[in-house]
């Protein structure tokens, strides 16, 4: 039993540390898939040994405490996390729990939409005017980011009031996701590299880091966007379903992901739409890591209520990860058809997005130096769609001291010819046009 208690303590401490890296520092050290595995392992151990679960276990909490550099904002209704499912069985079990709780034999209608990979926020409108905006924080208290939210062009400072249509309520606490589109993220990172600044790891961290700037003049230069997906307190709500609420928010000038919100009359339709979204995930202009399923009727949401860290009436169907954590066995150099030498990381095989990945590009020597990638390092590897897998970052906390720095060869590893770097290029090249590697590549 002591071994189990020790394991629970170690997992709890690791998860708290990763929560801080992700939610507070906007610099995650491990992939989402690795984090999910740690979290599920802790949940399972606490389920088997409830007497060993600590009152402050991370399985009972949401996010991380807000930074003290920001003013604190108390949420009138907690901003909870979502319970995750990873396969069709998770969806079927979710539907079964809901129907059992409600005592319903008939099918339950759900609203399903893509799960944007961004930063959760709450914006408060009083008499139609934006008064305060905050991050989720620890679910109960968030960080005041009002000045920064006001710089986002898709966030109205004043709600729209249409003639002969329901007016916005006197108090509206709307919740949503602040994110950055892929193209904008790439442009931002290119600019940072040109200035000698470290690039952001992914669009989610770019969005979070941009929104949580102390100087809103920095945020205004960042291409942020926002989708609304829920609400906190509303005075005299005039709708009966989640979908009606989304339509109302859109009428008032708020941005919702309406083209991709679909009503599903039963869990079979939910499964079909979740798989449809996953198949098209690379076609979206922004990162999505799953689909969100919500009981459509608001009265049923109220009856179902919440658990310690998540609502009973909603869940996230997580897609296969595009990032994973693994170890570099060695770094080798391959020669392309134009003679460019590309360093390649040979990895301990890992499954990413349903494909086993054993190699990842390191692009060029400057990239290796910037990321400080070494043989033996534990790294985060990314694969999206048909893009060649690449090393995103090093998990430096897992270094043992046995890792070896990599040095590019002074001669072509295939033909032995001297290699050169052309002016204004970062790549090294074998200048021998008869190099067997180049000949093979040309063929």
């Amino acid at each position: 039993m002591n071994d189990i208690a020790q394991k629970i303590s170690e997992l709890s401490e690791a998860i708290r540390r990763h929560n801080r890296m992700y939610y507070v520092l906007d610099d995650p050290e491990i992939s989402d898939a690795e984090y999910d595995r740690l979290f599920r392992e802790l949940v399972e151990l606490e389920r088997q040994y409830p007497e060993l679960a600590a009152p402050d276990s991370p399985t009972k909490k949401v996010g991380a405490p807000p930074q003290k550099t920001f003013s604190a904002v108390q949420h009138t209704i907690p901003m909870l996390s979502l319970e995750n499912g990873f396969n069709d069985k998770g969806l079927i079990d979710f539907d079964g729990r809901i129907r059992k709780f409600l005592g319903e034999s008939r099918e339950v209608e759900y609203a399903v939409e893509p799960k944007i990979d961004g930063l959760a926020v709450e914006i408060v409108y009083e008499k139609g005017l934006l008064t305060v905006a905050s991050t989720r924080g620890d679910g109960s208290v968030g960080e005041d980011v009002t000045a920064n939210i006001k710089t986002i062009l898709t966030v109205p400072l004043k709600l729209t009031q249409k003639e002969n249509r329901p007016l916005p309520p006197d108090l509206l606490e709307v919740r949503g996701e602040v994110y950055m589109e892929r193209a904008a993220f790439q442009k931002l990172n290119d600019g940072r590299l040109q200035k000698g600044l470290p690039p952001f790891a992914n669009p989610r961290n770019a969005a979070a880091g941009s929104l949580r700037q102390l100087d809103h003049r920095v945020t205004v230069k960042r291409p942020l966007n926002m989708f609304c997906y829920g609400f906190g307190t509303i005075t005299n709500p005039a709708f009966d379903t989640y979908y009606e609420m989304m339509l109302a928010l859109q009428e008032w000038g708020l941005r919702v992901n309406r083209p991709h919100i679909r009503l599903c009359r039963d869990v079979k339709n939910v499964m079909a739409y979740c798989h449809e979204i996953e198949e098209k995930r690379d076609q979206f202009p922004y990162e999505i890591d799953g689909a969100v399923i919500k009981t459509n009727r608001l009265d049923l949401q109220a009856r179902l209520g919440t658990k310690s860290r998540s609502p009973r009436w909603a869940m996230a169907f997580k897609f296969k990860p595009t990032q994973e954590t693994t170890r570099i066995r060695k770094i080798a150099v391959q020669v392309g058809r134009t003679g460019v030498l590309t360093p390649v990381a040979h990895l301990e095989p890992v499954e990413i997005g349903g494909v086993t990945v054993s190699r990842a590009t390191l692009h060029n020597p400057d990239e290796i130096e910037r990321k400080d990638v070494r043989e033996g390092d534990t790294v985060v590897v990314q694969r999206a769609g048909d893009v060649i897998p690449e090393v995103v970052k090093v998990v430096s906390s897992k270094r043992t001291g046995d890792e070896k720095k990599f040095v590019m060869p002074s001669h072509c590893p295939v033909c032995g010819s001297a290699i050169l770097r052309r002016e204004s290029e970062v790549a090294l090249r074998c200048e021998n046009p008869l190099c067997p590697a180049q000949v093979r590549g040309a063929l």
Side-chain angles (χ1 to χ4, degrees), residues 170-390:
D170 286 345
L171 174 62
L172 171 64
E173 296 175 351
V174 66
R175 292 169 177 182
E177 201 84 359
V178 171
Y179 68 95
M180 189 178 292
E181 293 194 347
R182 291 195 190 102
F185 164 73
Q186 189 59 54
K187 185 176 180 181
L188 174 64
N189 262 358
D190 289 345
R192 290 178 67 84
L193 287 171
Q194 290 173 9
K195 295 176 183 177
L197 298 172
F200 289 107
N202 53 54
R204 188 266 168 202
N205 297 120
S210 300
L211 188 65
R212 298 166 77 243
Q213 290 286 328
L214 293 177
D215 186 350
H216 71 275
R217 290 172 296 184
V218 176
T219 307
V220 76
K221 297 176 183 177
R222 304 283 174 83
L224 297 179
N225 249 312
M226 179 177 167
F227 276 127
C228 299
Y229 59 68
F231 62 93
T233 299
I234 301 182
T235 53
N236 303 318
F239 26 77
D240 299 318
T241 67
Y242 172 78
Y243 191 74
E244 289 173 0
M245 184 193 78
M246 291 295 100
L247 297 182
L249 293 182
Q250 190 174 46
E251 277 203 350
W252 297 329
L254 293 158
R255 190 164 174 261
V256 302
N257 204 358
R258 185 177 175 185
H260 301 294
I261 302 174
R262 182 178 296 181
L263 293 180
C264 299
R265 65 178 181 273
D266 56 33
V267 70
K268 289 183 180 178
N269 284 272
V270 170
M271 286 189 287
Y273 189 44
C274 285
H275 293 310
E276 181 183 327
I277 296 173
E278 183 168 20
E279 288 173 7
K280 297 177 179 177
R281 68 187 296 185
D282 295 322
Q283 298 175 24
F284 287 83
Y286 41 78
E287 295 283 349
I288 60 174
D289 58 357
V292 178
I293 301 95
K294 299 176 182 177
T295 308
N296 190 37
R297 281 173 48 186
L298 299 183
D299 63 330
L300 295 187
Q301 291 188 11
R303 280 175 59 191
L304 287 160
T306 63
K307 296 182 285 188
S308 60
R309 70 186 304 273
S310 60
R312 288 191 183 90
W313 45 265
M315 72 166 285
F317 178 80
K318 296 297 286 290
F319 296 157
K320 293 181 181 69
T322 58
Q323 289 188 344
E324 265 293 3
T325 307
T326 187
R327 181 176 165 275
I328 295 178
R329 288 175 170 170
K330 68 173 183 177
I331 298 174
V333 174
Q334 68 179 26
V335 182
R337 65 178 181 83
T338 62
V340 172
L341 275 63
T342 303
V344 176
H346 290 247
L347 312 167
E348 291 182 353
V350 62
E351 186 174 299
I352 307 178
V355 176
T356 300
V357 172
S358 58
R359 300 199 306 168
T361 180
L362 290 165
H363 298 293
N364 54 62
D366 290 356
E367 186 83 348
I368 293 177
E369 184 176 349
R370 182 179 65 76
K371 293 178 179 175
D372 191 21
V373 181
R374 306 176 190 181
E375 290 183 331
D377 267 335
T378 297
V379 293
V380 176
V381 179
Q382 176 173 279
R383 175 185 176 273
D386 296 325
V387 177
I388 298 170
E390 65 174 346

Side-chain angles (χ1 to χ4, degrees), residues 107-125:
E107 302 289 354
V108 176
E109 184 179 57
Y110 298 100
V112 183
E113 61 188 299
K115 182 178 179 293
I116 311 294
D117 194 9
L119 179 71
V121 298
E122 179 177 75
I123 303 177
V124 179
Y125 288 90

Side-chain angles (χ1 to χ4, degrees), residues 60-131:
K60 298 179 175 66
K61 295 183 177 294
V62 174
Q67 287 195 65
K68 293 181 180 178
T69 48
F70 292 89
S71 300
V73 176
Q74 182 80 38
H75 302 304
T76 58
I77 298 175
M79 293 184 70
L80 302 178
S81 185
L82 290 175
E83 186 173 309
N84 291 332
F86 298 89
N87 49 41
D88 287 351
K89 183 179 182 300
L91 292 171
I92 293 168
D93 290 347
F94 167 70
D95 177 64
R97 288 194 301 271
I98 283 183
R99 292 167 69 180
K100 182 179 179 181
F101 189 97
L102 296 173
E104 292 276 0
S105 58
R106 61 184 177 180
E107 302 289 354
V108 176
E109 184 179 57
Y110 298 100
V112 183
E113 61 188 299
K115 182 178 179 293
I116 311 294
D117 194 9
L119 179 71
V121 298
E122 179 177 75
I123 303 177
V124 179
Y125 288 90
E126 296 182 59
K127 297 190 182 301
L129 298 178
L130 193 162
T131 56

Side-chain angles (χ1 to χ4, degrees), residues 147-168:
N148 294 345
I149 282 285
K150 287 181 175 181
T151 69
I152 302 176
L153 297 178
T154 50
V155 175
L157 303 182
K158 182 179 180 180
L159 298 180
T160 303
Q161 299 183 9
K162 292 186 178 179
E163 227 179 298
N164 301 320
R165 299 296 298 163
L167 295 176

